[in-house]
């Protein structure tokens, strides 16, 4: 569902993508699925166009590194360094 939300966002359906990602996050949180939670948060932060984007990505990177989730940490760091990256 995270991938599907990314596709929706790339097609300009940001509201649908964000709604779906929030749903994924809530379901993952209810089941204590940390990797999925961070993945949903990462996708949401990548879609964010506000000044808080970089801070959100930094927080996700920090949490992912603490949990030894290197892939998510690297993707968050890359997105934080390149504002055009989705």
């Amino acid at each position: 569902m995270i991938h599907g939300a990314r596709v929706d966002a790339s097609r300009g359906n940001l509201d649908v993508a964000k709604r779906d990602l929030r749903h994924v996050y809530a379901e993952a949180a209810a089941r204590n699925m940390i990797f999925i939670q961070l993945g949903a948060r990462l996708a949401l932060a990548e879609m964010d166009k506000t000044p808080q984007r970089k801070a959100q990505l930094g927080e996700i990177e920090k949490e992912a590194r603490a949990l030894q989730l290197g892939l998510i940490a690297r993707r968050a760091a890359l997105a934080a360094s390149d504002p055009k990256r989705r």
Side-chain angles (χ1 to χ4, degrees):
M1 193 136 177
I2 292 174
H3 179 71
R6 288 180 189 277
V7 171
D8 284 338
S10 72
R11 292 180 177 163
N13 299 322
L14 283 177
D15 291 339
V16 171
K18 289 178 180 181
R19 181 199 66 212
D20 289 350
L21 288 168
R22 288 184 189 107
H23 177 75
V24 168
Y25 176 82
E27 290 293 318
R31 291 169 174 75
N32 200 31
M33 299 170 77
I34 303 299
F35 184 81
I36 302 299
Q37 289 177 54
L38 285 172
R41 285 178 53 208
L42 174 60
L44 280 165
E46 288 174 330
M47 293 175 199
D48 192 356
K49 303 299 181 203
T50 67
Q52 292 82 16
R53 177 182 195 271
K54 191 168 185 173
Q56 291 171 2
L57 290 164
E59 184 178 313
I60 293 165
E61 179 187 4
K62 181 179 176 181
E63 288 179 39
R65 287 201 191 284
L67 295 167
Q68 298 182 1
L69 298 173
L71 176 63
I72 291 179
R74 286 188 301 276
R75 287 186 66 176
L78 180 61
S81 67
D82 183 2
K84 294 182 181 180
R85 185 178 186 282
R86 286 192 211 176

